[in-house]
Amino acid sequence: MYCEVHTLIEFSQVSKKYSNGTVALSDVDLKIDDGEFVFIVGASGAGKSTLIKLILREEKPTSGKVSVGGRNISSMSRWKIPKYRRSIGVVFQDFRLIPNMSAYDNVAFALRVTDVSSKEIHRKVPYMLALVGLASKARCKPDELSGGEQQRVALARALVNSPSLIIADEPTGNIDPELSYEIVDLLNEINKLGVTVVMVTHEHNLVAHFNRRVVTIDKGRIVGDTEKWEAAVL
Amino acid sequence: MRISSFFYLVGQGARNLWKNRLMSIASIGVLISCLLLIGAAVLASVNINSMMGYLEDQSEAVIFLDDELSDEQVESVRKSILNSGNVVTITFVSKEEALKEMMESIGDDGVLFEAYSEDDSNNLPDTFRITLDDVSKLSGTIVYLQNLEGVSSVSAPTEVAETITGLKKIVTIGGLVVVAILIAVSLMIIGNTIKITVFSRRKEINIMKYVGATDMFIRLPFFVEGVLLGLVSAAVAYALLYFGYGYLSQWIESNQNDWLAMIVTSLVPFSSVSMALLRGFLVGGVGIGLAGGALFLSKHLKV
């Protein structure tokens, strides 16, 4: 059976220079296919976060073109950005949960912004919390949850809108090493459902363990792009 | 936007007021103080103007008529005087009444003038006494009156009129300047309070942007908060001013002396300015709340 693979994310000759003169990315060419699981690795200040910001359309490239789902997002007008972001699930190192909302409300919030009916919210949120193993902690506030649990709430929030792409920016940076594997395992399971996962990390053990495509960035340039972890690149 | 989403956001705005109650209390406190200061300045200005008006009413001009005018001619002069457009009250004082008044004002020695009571020997002229609507137009009115047929001369307190006109100008301009300064200072203080509120919740706003919230979705709860803060502050400031003004009026009335007597007669009742004040407070309070949400959020929405 022949299965056609589409490019989901494409960077063509992308450079990004900030107003303070810092060159974050230089002539980056990168293609990520639909359904892939990609680790983006690199030292601090290498340009990983800028790459994520460009995908999220938080920043615009100074030159070049960033396309997501065949759409040039560099020229996207501001009012279209919210709708575009709803197609992406994002997980951050610091979880970014709203502190005065319960786990349930944090997940429900991502649905509310997309104008989903209350009935649909009541149906989807418990399902998502159960999926990440937090059904019993739905009423807990973020400060009543452990780091790993908070990250799982963030993951449920990222998944609840059924995105085609999950961006995970150092999702294991603030949690215990043994729990890190659980989080990436979850991302792995999500990827098996056909969701593209782009995960930024600098934890070599994790990258080596999961044996997926690895894109290495150094000083704003892609210096390595391998189908699996090669210790020499870092 | 769904109706349910709209009500969710409105409810969210109201809940945020309680969740961030310390900031809410601070904002309400600042807004009440500013509105009270502005309200007090407006009331002071209105009352000083009213006192000036009272003094204005007291200044009387006297129009001396030619001798031997017939009743018809006197009536014609009265009509012409009223046509000047600047006359509030007009009283005809005949030469007999004038003499009687003069004798009464002198007291016991007034009997000395009794001999002049005879028709031919009373040399006082018939007069019209008028109070003016606008003393600042006094000189123009005098010229008009002096040129009327049947009028021999006009006596008017021009110096008093000039002083009152000058004082009124100073009070009006001074009042406006004070209120304008207070409004500007209030806006700066309230602006900063709103900035702090928004800054303390910038992470929340940031998260909303990442999950794809539109600017309106983020702004609406802030608008609701702003409006509620404005309404509460306006109501409290209005109530404080109402009771404070009432208390002050009572105190002035119960502690009357010479100069306070003038204030009492010209004290503007609160009811005559209450609606304008309440409107101003509501528009100001709610407007500031809305403007704060519109202006100071924008910086954090550019994510």
Side-chain angles (χ1 to χ4, degrees), chain B residues 102-143:
Chain B
M102 196 169 79
M103 284 162 65
E104 279 170 8
S105 69
I106 292 169
D108 292 343
D109 295 335
V111 289
L112 294 171
F113 291 91
E114 218 156 68
Y116 295 103
S117 305
E118 303 299 318
D119 271 355
D120 293 339
S121 53
N122 183 352
N123 288 325
L124 292 173
D126 290 334
T127 56
F128 276 116
R129 288 178 191 170
I130 59 167
T131 55
L132 298 167
D133 183 30
D134 185 354
V135 287
S136 67
K137 293 176 186 162
L138 179 63
S139 48
T141 310
I142 290 173
V143 173

Side-chain angles (χ1 to χ4, degrees), chain A residues 46-185:
Chain A
K48 307 186 300 282
S49 295
T50 301
L51 192 101
I52 296 297
K53 282 179 180 174
L54 288 170
I55 297 173
L56 289 172
R57 188 44 174 82
E58 194 181 332
E59 294 287 348
K60 279 178 167 182
T62 314
S63 63
K65 194 173 99 176
V66 180
S67 300
V68 176
R71 194 161 43 158
N72 179 5
I73 60 161
S74 316
S75 57
M76 183 185 279
S77 40
R78 223 176 90 81
W79 66 272
K80 284 183 181 167
I81 298 172
K83 200 172 176 193
Y84 162 70
R85 284 190 184 150
R86 290 172 200 169
S87 65
I88 304 172
V90 200
V91 184
F92 295 97
Q93 181 177 0
D94 57 358
F95 323 128
R96 299 203 189 171
L97 299 174
I98 299 175
N100 52 29
M101 281 188 186
S102 66
Y104 182 97
D105 286 332
N106 263 290
V107 179
F109 187 75
L111 286 170
R112 286 207 167 95
V113 303
T114 59
D115 227 6
V116 167
S117 70
S118 302
K119 198 176 157 193
E120 193 70 359
I121 291 171
H122 292 317
R123 193 182 65 79
K124 272 190 164 177
V125 178
Y127 171 74
M128 275 300 154
L129 285 172
L131 195 74
V132 296
L134 285 176
S136 60
K137 303 215 168 171
R139 293 285 146 220
C140 293
K141 295 272 171 67
D143 59 5
E144 295 163 344
L145 299 168
S146 70
E149 287 170 335
Q150 287 188 56
Q151 196 57 293
R152 279 190 277 160
V153 175
L155 203 54
R157 182 181 63 191
L159 287 170
V160 77
N161 272 321
S162 313
S164 55
L165 170 66
I166 292 273
I167 304 274
D169 189 1
E170 308 256 14
T172 56
N174 270 348
I175 52 181
D176 297 336
E178 59 269 29
L179 291 172
S180 300
Y181 287 90
E182 275 183 30
I183 294 291
V184 185
D185 259 335

Side-chain angles (χ1 to χ4, degrees), chain B residues 65-71 73-74 95 119-120 122 125-126 150:
Chain B
L65 304 181
D66 291 335
D67 281 340
E68 312 297 332
L69 289 182
S70 67
D71 287 351
Q73 282 171 314
V74 170
K95 55 167 73 180
D119 271 355
D120 293 339
N122 183 352
D126 290 334

Side-chain angles (χ1 to χ4, degrees), chain B residues 1 13 26-27 35 44-45 61 82 109 112 151 176 178 195 208 213 233-234 247 250 259 281:
Chain B
M1 188 183 285
S27 307
L35 289 174
S45 175
L82 285 171
D109 295 335
L112 294 171
V151 171
L176 281 175
V178 169
K195 263 189 197 172
M208 292 180 187
S233 308
Y247 177 78
Q250 270 184 356
W259 67 271
F281 276 13

